[in-house]
Amino acid sequence: MKKQAPLICVVGQTATGKSSLALRIAQEWNGEIICADSWTIHREVNIGTAKPSMQEQSLVPHHLLDIIGPDEDFNAALFKELANKAIIDIIARGKLPIMVGGTGLYIDSVIYDYSFSAVGSRHSREELNALTLPELLEKIDNLGLELGSIDIRNKRRLIRLIETDGAQPTKGDLRDQTLLIGLHVENDKLKRHVTDRLDAMLASGLENEVRQLSERYGWNCEALKGIGYIQWREYFLGSENRDQVRQKIIQATINLAKRQNTWFQRNKSIHWFDTPVNWYEVVGLITTVLDNNIS
RNA sequence: GCAGGGAUAGUGAAGUGGUUAAACACAUCAGACUGUAAAUCUGACGGCUCAGCCUUCGGGGGUUCGAAUCCCUCUCCCUGCA
């Protein structure tokens, strides 16, 4: 039986240094990076998303960056498809694929081979969105759909259930030869990292980037709904000052980091590292996986 | 100095005599998560020897069967007049 080629994943909360670790791994083992991030896929949002710089991208090829416009939608199923293509392509060229990112759903869709149920065209999302929770439940009942184990207090879950005609999703085992490296930082330290990173973003012209994007695409634009962007709205309207924006961005980032951590912590296959990462341990871990593959 | 206003849990803020350990929001802690995921949703959130008990609404005193809510007084803060 033919063995699957190795895949290295670097996951974890935002601002833990995933990108730089991935870069180092890629340079050490002749790899290419696949970004599993729901925001860096958008073009034109660069500073606030902490997108890898052109300099970093010239060092190592990055995939799934800048693939859609700021006002275009994206989704996990699409990510899974594109990421799988990228992985196959990288392996075919004899290089090591390294998937890095903090969007847990995107990562899992690839490494656990999620079976996304097709979107039913009979119902428009806009129409369903307008319904209340009880109305959605009634509709589901009328359609004869099984609620299963979904959270019936979460409107989005109910809408999805209707859209998929109640199709039950499936999840596979962890992809063979896949190494999961998780980065974790303690709360206090994380807050410092987040703050420092934001101040660096501000120094490199975040405000200007947001202003230009909001003028060109308007505040309803997808990419401007992200952290680091949406918080400027009141500022440009004149009701808040720069420091309030800064505090709001820090807070939103910390809140996100908490949710990301909850997602990844339940995955018992992840090898966790505290930062700063002990490089030799990483080398040891990766070497084991790669050697195992050769034999 | 005089006249008003105010002090409520980590923060903001409701409550103005009786299911009030005290709405709500935020923060915090924990959790869920398969075509929006940087999204969406859930629980806990005064203390304890925790299906019961104890202590809270600036401090002290009082009225009342009963007060964060009424009265007196003290402290501090804001506003108008001096």
Side-chain angles (χ1 to χ4, degrees), chain A residues 7-238:
Chain A
L7 168 68
I8 311 289
C9 295
V10 181
V11 304
Q13 302 164 289
T14 186
T16 50
K18 295 187 296 292
S19 299
S20 61
L21 178 66
L23 202 66
R24 192 164 178 190
I25 293 171
Q27 288 178 304
E28 185 76 24
W29 281 281
N30 191 29
E32 295 192 7
I33 290 172
I34 299 159
C35 297
D37 184 300
S38 61
W39 289 86
T40 55
I41 51 153
H42 289 103
R43 285 185 290 271
E44 297 182 55
V45 277
N46 302 321
I47 300 171
T49 58
K51 194 177 283 178
S53 67
M54 290 322 250
Q55 203 262 329
E56 287 166 321
Q57 292 188 48
S58 71
L59 252 35
V60 170
H62 284 63
H63 301 262
L64 302 198
L65 227 46
D66 297 323
I67 59 174
I68 61 168
D71 49 355
E72 286 183 82
D73 289 336
F74 197 69
N75 63 57
L78 217 48
F79 176 82
K80 183 196 168 187
E81 191 187 322
L82 295 173
N84 273 141
K85 272 185 191 159
I87 290 169
I88 290 166
D89 172 56
I90 293 166
I91 291 169
R93 285 182 285 108
K95 297 182 106 188
L96 176 69
I98 299 151
M99 185 157 69
V100 52
T103 306
L105 177 65
Y106 285 13
I107 305 239
D108 285 2
S109 74
V110 174
I111 65 177
Y112 292 105
D113 193 25
Y114 277 14
S115 70
F116 289 104
S117 321
V119 182
S121 53
R122 288 186 293 143
H123 311 278
S124 92
R125 182 170 281 184
E126 214 172 307
E127 202 175 281
L128 294 173
N129 246 326
L131 299 177
T132 64
L133 208 74
E135 285 169 342
L136 284 167
L137 284 167
E138 196 189 326
K139 194 174 180 72
I140 287 167
D141 191 47
N142 289 340
L143 291 167
L145 302 177
E146 286 294 324
L147 283 169
S149 59
I150 67 162
D151 182 358
I152 59 166
R153 289 171 297 194
N154 191 337
K155 258 178 88 169
R156 292 221 174 151
R157 299 275 133 72
L158 299 180
I159 290 171
R160 269 306 290 165
L161 187 76
I162 295 171
E163 285 180 344
T164 58
D165 277 333
Q168 293 301 309
T170 63
K171 175 186 178 181
D173 293 331
L174 178 63
R175 179 191 182 280
D176 201 30
Q177 292 294 106
T178 300
L179 174 66
L180 298 158
I181 294 172
L183 297 190
H184 179 260
V185 175
E186 291 168 55
N187 283 184
D188 289 357
K189 213 158 133 191
L190 184 75
K191 187 155 187 180
R192 278 210 305 282
H193 288 186
V194 167
T195 304
D196 291 348
R197 189 176 70 174
L198 175 59
D199 287 337
M201 288 173 177
L202 289 169
S204 13
L206 178 60
E207 178 177 344
N208 216 30
E209 179 175 285
V210 182
R211 174 179 286 117
Q212 287 177 0
L213 284 163
S214 65
E215 282 170 0
R216 193 172 323 159
Y217 300 98
W219 285 103
N220 277 328
C221 154
E222 269 309 299
L224 286 179
K225 289 177 185 163
I227 295 168
Y229 295 87
I230 191 69
Q231 288 81 9
W232 290 90
R233 206 180 159 150
E234 271 66 43
Y235 171 77
F236 287 129
L237 257 44

Side-chain angles (χ1 to χ4, degrees), chain A residues 243-262:
Chain A
D243 191 58
Q244 285 174 300
V245 175
R246 183 172 170 275
Q247 292 306 328
K248 273 163 58 178
I249 294 174
I250 292 170
Q251 187 57 251
T253 309
I254 296 294
N255 292 159
L256 165 67
K258 173 70 178 85
R259 273 174 278 134
Q260 289 177 307
N261 200 236
T262 302

